[in-house]
Amino acid sequence: QVQLVESGGGVVQAGGSLRLSCAATGRISGSIIMGWFRQAPGKEREFVSAIVWNENTARYSDSVKGRFAISRDGRKNKVYLQMNSLKPEDTAQYYCAGKMFGVDEYHYWGQGTQVTVTS
């Protein structure tokens, strides 16, 4: 079982930066994939970024590519999402999630942290 707790959300002006953190407790193995998702009011949850824990390889949605960077710290069992050049359309509740490699659905979810970008 894996528990996830996000932090680092807040209010920032357009063009600013925030770094989200996700603290993972429980059984973290090398075959886990950690991801970030977001959900804006009235919209469906969407994929933002993911990283393969033991390969340190990452992928991004087109909407954040070049602006956001995902990373992980194996010693601290944390995953980060560095968000730069933020836009008002990045405003959403951001969720950390995890799944085992080869599984389609993410089955570990955090409570979320709110990011609000003002124009």
Side-chain angles (χ1 to χ4, degrees), residues 8-12 18 20 68 83 86-88 90-94 113-117:
V11 180
V12 64
L18 280 175
L20 305 183
F68 290 11
M83 305 185 295
L86 283 161
K87 304 175 182 179
D90 294 319
T91 294
Q93 185 84 348
Y94 282 71
T113 185
Q114 178 67 33
V115 171
T116 301
V117 184

Side-chain angles (χ1 to χ4, degrees), residues 47-104:
F47 169 81
V48 174
S49 181
I51 188 166
V52 180
W53 192 264
N54 62 348
E55 296 178 5
N56 205 23
T57 54
R59 63 185 186 97
Y60 301 91
S61 68
D62 288 342
S63 61
V64 307
K65 197 174 296 181
R67 300 188 297 123
F68 290 11
I70 191 171
S71 62
R72 75 5 173 195
D73 185 327
R75 291 185 304 169
K76 296 181 179 179
N77 274 1
K78 284 190 172 182
V79 179
Y80 304 100
L81 186 68
Q82 178 66 44
M83 305 185 295
N84 299 323
S85 302
L86 283 161
K87 304 175 182 179
E89 51 263 43
D90 294 319
T91 294
Q93 185 84 348
Y94 282 71
Y95 297 91
C96 179
K99 65 173 182 172
M100 301 310 295
F101 194 87
V103 174
D104 287 339

Side-chain angles (χ1 to χ4, degrees), residues 3-6 22 45 94-98 108-113:
Q3 293 80 42
L4 305 174
V5 178
E6 303 95 334
C22 173
R45 186 170 59 198
Y94 282 71
Y95 297 91
C96 179
Y108 303 122
W109 290 91
Q111 296 292 328
T113 185

Side-chain angles (χ1 to χ4, degrees), residues 14-47:
S17 298
L18 280 175
R19 189 176 81 153
L20 305 183
S21 297
C22 173
T25 58
R27 187 179 177 185
I28 306 297
S29 70
S31 57
I32 197 168
I33 296 174
M34 299 298 297
W36 287 95
F37 291 75
R38 67 186 183 186
Q39 187 168 20
K43 295 188 177 181
E44 292 189 356
R45 186 170 59 198
E46 65 171 346
F47 169 81

